[in-house]
Amino acid sequence: MKGTRSKQPDITPDMLLRAYSIGLFPMADSADDPELFWVEPEIRGIIPLDAFHISRSLAKTIRRRPFEIRYNTAFEAVIDGCAKPAPDRPTTWINDKIRSLYAALHRMGYAHSVEAWQDNALVGGLYGVSLGAAFFGESMFSLRSDASKICLVHLVERLRAKGFQLLDTQFTTEHLKSFGAIDVPKAEYEILLAKAMASRDLAF
């Protein structure tokens, strides 16, 4: 992980919002580590909202509507889902402090979840933070094929409809690159972030 990091065990929700506005976000070394540190990557992952794309197979799946998509109805359950180990993710960085901070941001109206439901059970989702005209994606999980992918599609559609300018993914993965995610240098990211922060807080 390239970028500066500094430990900060006593982050408050207000400090967290300020950090996002200047390009920082918190992580823990592991789910069992009670401490958090700030991360400021030299190379940042974003998904340009006007360049987002999906595969034909995923589009076909979406047309079948395999899931009911909901917003902000089970925020803490989504975090719990993201924190659980998965075959492609044996450990996570989501500790109790992360859960507490983002639950507080959710109550304040800044953190949001996109959820995939099937037979009245939560089977996938993602969560992140909205501030200004930016959405900062944090994590996603999937218990059914394509559940988190479809949540991402609905997130992008919602951000476009609401007038958001920036979708921050923190880092890129091959999975995210398949949707159009790109790496941008820190200096370029700071310009995009400043423009998004100049906006009033958009309703998610």
Side-chain angles (χ1 to χ4, degrees), residues 166-181:
L166 176 64
L167 173 51
D168 179 335
T169 65
Q170 300 178 350
F171 305 102
T172 59
T173 62
E174 290 307 310
H175 169 67
L176 291 174
K177 286 179 180 179
S178 71
F179 290 95

Side-chain angles (χ1 to χ4, degrees), residues 28 31 53 75 109 143 156 169 185 188 195:
H53 56 263
F75 181 83
L143 301 179
V156 170
T169 65
E188 182 178 341
K195 182 179 178 182

Side-chain angles (χ1 to χ4, degrees), residues 4-11 15 24-30 32-40 95:
T4 58
R5 54 182 276 180
S6 57
K7 287 202 172 181
Q8 172 52 263
D10 298 319
I11 300 173
M15 289 171 60
L24 301 170
F25 58 87
M27 293 186 74
D29 279 322
S30 71
D32 297 326
D33 187 346
E35 292 191 322
L36 302 180
F37 57 86
W38 293 122
V39 180
E40 187 178 21
N95 62 10

Side-chain angles (χ1 to χ4, degrees), residues 94-146:
I94 300 174
N95 62 10
D96 288 342
K97 184 64 175 176
I98 290 285
R99 284 187 174 91
S100 176
L101 280 168
Y102 287 86
L105 288 187
H106 176 62
R107 291 191 294 270
M108 293 165 66
Y110 289 102
H112 306 281
S113 59
V114 184
E115 308 147 10
W117 293 79
Q118 191 174 69
D119 299 326
N120 212 33
L122 180 66
V123 296
L126 60 81
Y127 76 97
V129 173
S130 66
L131 188 65
F135 188 91
F136 305 89
E138 281 294 320
S139 189
M140 59 176 63
F141 81 101
S142 186
L143 301 179
R144 299 288 187 277
S145 179
D146 294 330

